[in-house]
Amino acid sequence: MKLEGFSPPFTDIAPYYDRIMSFVNYPSWISYIERILQVNGIKEEKLLDLACGTGTCLELWYKKGYKVIGLDNSNQMLEVCRSKFPREAMENGCVQLIQGDFRNFSLNDSVPIITCLYDSLNYLLTKDDLLSCFRSVYRNLCIKGIFIFDMNTIHALRDEWGNQIFERNDGPIHSIWANTFDPVTNISSLRLTINVRENERTLTFREFHQERAYSLEDIRYIAALAGFQIFLYRHLTFNPASERDIRIMGVARKL
């Protein structure tokens, strides 16, 4: 869906994305995922990050010695991501960046770990698209490989975001987050406006984002249909997920 006067998601905001998301404690996410890998006996240090965006998590994995692959549909986000890695890492294959659709992708070689973080799966607005993504992940994972992802819940989009407007200031960036929630489709629509003060002038960008929340039952069913054994946890814990959680973590094993 396009909205007049608004750009597609993750285009205009790409140069400013890291600044407006600076509140996210990505190192804690990586540490949590490392515990998941340890519990599941995954030792090979190679992973694919779907919807990798500006590559903050990819960079953290790379610094830990992992060979990393990032896939994203936005050229603008990938350009920012590319700037974070030394040229030799790109040339020797330690870092690969791919523009592509995470609903349908294919790697040259399967990988033991695939991640998809920070609501990215919520951007898939139909069950068919979500299933297509899970099936692509399954095809590109090694046997006994693991898919680790997070998702916002219905409770998060309906009750936390709801029909509200939030404003934030991040240094020279003032952002306005105007949310509306459709209880029939469980889709949250965000009209994001950012005003950037640069060189004594203000630049204004507008993007339109949509996320759909799925019930835990639907997530389990779709993952199982793709062939996975699936476990859902409250985010950053190993406690079972519930519909009252704001964010859940999925751990899917390829059998």
Side-chain angles (χ1 to χ4, degrees):
M1 176 181 176
K2 293 183 179 180
L3 195 67
E4 186 175 352
F6 286 78
S7 301
F10 307 113
T11 53
D12 293 340
I13 70 168
Y16 313 104
Y17 181 82
D18 286 345
R19 189 65 179 266
I20 64 177
M21 299 300 289
S22 61
F23 64 92
V24 181
N25 187 352
Y26 289 110
S28 71
W29 287 48
I30 298 302
S31 296
Y32 173 55
I33 292 171
E34 284 187 307
R35 295 200 303 274
I36 292 173
L37 296 177
Q38 291 168 2
V39 167
N40 285 273
I42 305 291
K43 296 181 179 179
E44 190 175 350
E45 296 184 340
K46 181 178 181 180
L47 66 81
L48 164 67
D49 187 31
L50 299 178
C52 67
T54 60
T56 300
C57 288
L58 273 188
E59 185 181 20
L60 291 170
W61 287 116
Y62 170 74
K63 289 179 176 178
K64 287 178 175 289
Y66 280 70
K67 290 186 176 181
V68 296
I69 305 168
L71 183 145
D72 201 282
N73 207 35
S74 167
N75 266 327
Q76 294 91 332
M77 297 289 272
L78 286 175
E79 279 301 307
V80 178
C81 181
R82 191 171 288 111
S83 70
K84 296 181 178 181
F85 297 98
R87 179 178 297 179
E88 57 268 25
M90 310 285 288
E91 293 174 348
N92 64 23
C94 288
V95 178
Q96 299 178 55
L97 299 180
I98 304 167
Q99 185 192 12
D101 188 334
F102 65 172
R103 294 170 297 183
N104 185 17
F105 65 92
S106 182
L107 303 178
N108 292 328
D109 300 299
S110 58
V111 292
I113 307 162
I114 296 180
T115 59
C116 188
L117 303 176
Y118 215 83
D119 321 353
S120 295
L121 288 181
N122 291 104
Y123 277 80
L124 300 177
L125 304 183
T126 70
K127 293 180 182 179
D128 286 343
D129 280 349
L130 187 59
L131 177 59
S132 292
C133 179
F134 271 94
R135 283 178 167 161
S136 285
V137 169
Y138 191 90
R139 288 194 303 270
N140 288 279
L141 270 177
C142 301
I143 297 298
K144 298 189 181 301
I146 193 167
F147 178 37
I148 302 171
F149 61 90
D150 73 276
M151 296 183 79
N152 279 325
T153 62
I154 295 172
H155 165 60
L157 299 193
R158 181 189 62 212
D159 305 321
E160 298 293 325
W161 294 11
N163 299 292
Q164 301 184 68
I165 297 176
F166 304 94
E167 295 191 41
R168 290 228 325 270
N169 286 293
D170 299 281
I173 302 171
H174 174 249
S175 55
I176 304 169
W177 309 64
N179 295 289
T180 57
F181 179 75
D182 185 334
V184 176
T185 62
N186 288 327
I187 291 176
S188 176
S189 297
L190 167 66
R191 291 160 177 81
L192 173 61
T193 301
I194 66 169
N195 299 298
V196 185
R197 296 185 297 279
E198 248 180 31
N199 300 322
E200 298 184 352
R201 61 176 181 158
T202 299
L203 306 176
T204 299
F205 305 98
R206 295 180 177 88
E207 287 191 0
F208 182 62
H209 295 245
Q210 287 188 301
E211 293 193 19
R212 177 179 174 180
Y214 294 86
S215 69
L216 302 189
E217 181 181 0
D218 281 343
I219 297 169
R220 291 188 181 101
Y221 176 77
I222 290 169
L225 201 59
F228 285 105
Q229 180 186 38
I230 180 78
F231 301 93
L232 299 179
Y233 302 107
R234 183 181 305 137
H235 190 236
L236 299 182
T237 79
F238 288 96
N239 298 322
S242 81
E243 296 289 1
R244 295 298 300 170
D245 292 326
I246 293 174
R247 185 183 300 274
I248 60 97
M249 202 77 181
V251 178
R253 290 298 301 263
K254 179 175 180 176
L255 301 177

